[in-house]
């Protein structure tokens, strides 16, 4: 890993932490989680944008496979690695977000991206993975932000719940397995393959949790309408 990438990661962690402190000062009455989710939304938008800009040929977004990472790909991954380190620290500082699921997700992602930066390989696959994993994140965070703003159990909140579930399913459970397959099939380092498989397993676990959430939301909404119509 080149020195400038290490410096970029360190600078990135400081920058994400600084962004959080600025947002925290702008919204002093909002919770720690609210401010952190605003930072996360900014990162997700930036990550998808930077990932899109690194694609060499949209006819084959993951090409070339198992090749040396380009400078743009390395920089994009460094920005996200810095964010993940920052966000993992936030998880331990915020009692509401300390859980095994979240910690494993962050650790798998940090090790995977770190390995890609260390080997300076698999840039196409890893940037594609970043695009797939972050494309649904803005909707994940917006649905939680709406709850704190007083829109819990409203039609607007339900819309973002469904958008998140649909985009997550398409990205993680349709595009994700395809990307995992090509990553495992290509001549990538064993650690990269292990992390690709690990991330897909984590995505599958979250998919089942999201499916349960959608079922609960729709059942609750149906019961509410039934009660309202009987009055």
């Amino acid at each position: 890993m080149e020195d400038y990438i290490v410096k970029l990661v360190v600078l990135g962690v400081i920058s994400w932490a600084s962004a959080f402190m600025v947002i925290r000062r702008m919204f002093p009455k909002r919770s720690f989680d609210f401010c952190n989710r605003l930072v996360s939304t900014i990162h997700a938008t930036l990550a998808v944008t930077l990932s899109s800009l690194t694609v060499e040929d949209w006819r084959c977004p993951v090409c070339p496979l198992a090749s040396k990472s380009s400078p743009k790909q390395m920089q994009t991954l460094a920005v996200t690695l810095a964010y993940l380190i920052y966000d993992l620290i936030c998880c331990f500082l915020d009692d509401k977000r300390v859980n095994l699921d979240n910690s494993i997700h962050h650790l798998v992602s940090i090790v995977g991206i770190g390995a890609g930066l260390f080997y300076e390989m698999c840039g196409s696959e890893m940037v594609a993975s970043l695009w797939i994993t972050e494309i649904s994140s803005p909707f994940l965070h917006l649905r939680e932000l709406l709850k704190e703003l007083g829109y819990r159990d409203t039609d607007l909140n339900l819309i973002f719940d469904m958008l998140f579930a649909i985009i997550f399913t398409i990205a993680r459970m349709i595009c994700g397995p395809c990307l995992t397959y090509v990553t495992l099939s290509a001549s990538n380092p064993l650690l990269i393959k292990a992390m690709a498989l690990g991330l897909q397993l984590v995505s599958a676990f979250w998919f089942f949790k999201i499916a349960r959430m959608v079922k609960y939301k729709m059942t609750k909404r149906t019961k509410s309408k039934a009660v309202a119509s009987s009055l």
Side-chain angles (χ1 to χ4, degrees), residues 24 46 59 92 114 123 142 145 149 168 197:
R24 189 77 163 145
L46 181 62
R59 291 172 295 181
F92 290 110
L142 285 171
L145 293 173
L149 291 172
F168 184 98
L197 181 59

Side-chain angles (χ1 to χ4, degrees), residues 88 91-92 97-109:
L88 181 60
C91 288
F92 290 110
R97 296 186 66 195
V98 178
N99 60 67
L100 185 61
D101 304 346
N102 220 18
S103 298
I104 291 175
H105 173 268
H106 278 69
L107 289 172
V108 169
S109 300

